[in-house]
Amino acid sequence: MVPSFAAIFIFGLLGSNSEGVTDPRLWLCQPAPRCGELTYNPLEQCCDDGVILDLNQTRLCGSSCTFWPCFQHCCLESLGSQNQTVVRFKVPGMKPDCMSSPITSICAQDYHPKSPLSRSDLI
């Protein structure tokens, strides 16, 4: 009886939608994702630097760009004598890296001088 149940269960999994586990009963067979000491539901939440966030939560990158911290990260990059904020994708399974992650968007350039403002910067 057990082998036939296992065969039906595996057949059901193979024939189901492989987009992800949506039946809460199947979570019993999956290890629960953890964020520090807490577990979270990856269909609704993510773990960002040890904090559980809703997937649709947004933050500001600089003064004008909105980004989703579950999927993107905000980077401050140098451009000549000024810095600009850039939103980059988080690559699943990789630590966020502002140098190699693909760019999502370049935010409107804010003025963040690297050194004190001089007259030549205004000309």
Side-chain angles (χ1 to χ4, degrees):
M1 173 137 178
V2 174
S4 63
F5 174 77
I8 292 170
F9 180 74
I10 292 171
F11 181 77
L13 284 177
L14 292 174
S16 70
N17 182 358
S18 62
E19 297 277 327
V21 179
T22 57
D23 184 351
R25 293 173 292 169
L26 293 179
W27 279 107
L28 298 174
C29 300
Q30 304 292 323
R34 300 188 69 76
C35 185
E37 295 294 316
L38 302 172
T39 59
Y40 66 96
N41 180 352
L43 298 174
E44 298 174 1
Q45 302 164 314
C46 74
C47 181
D48 182 53
D49 289 327
V51 178
I52 297 174
L53 304 173
D54 290 334
L55 290 179
N56 62 355
Q57 186 171 344
T58 60
R59 291 188 181 154
L60 276 178
C61 181
S63 62
S64 60
C65 274
T66 303
F67 74 104
W68 290 276
C70 288
F71 308 105
Q72 303 167 314
H73 56 109
C74 179
C75 300
L76 185 62
E77 296 183 358
S78 298
L79 182 66
S81 63
Q82 297 179 352
N83 292 324
Q84 66 181 4
T85 52
V86 176
V87 176
R88 292 183 174 266
F89 282 115
K90 285 185 177 178
V91 179
M94 303 282 291
K95 191 171 186 173
D97 179 16
C98 285
M99 297 304 293
S100 63
S101 297
I103 293 177
T104 303
S105 61
I106 298 174
C107 303
Q109 191 168 355
D110 294 330
Y111 183 71
H112 303 283
K114 288 183 176 178
S115 58
L117 186 63
S118 68
R119 185 173 188 270
S120 64
D121 291 328
L122 299 174
I123 301 174

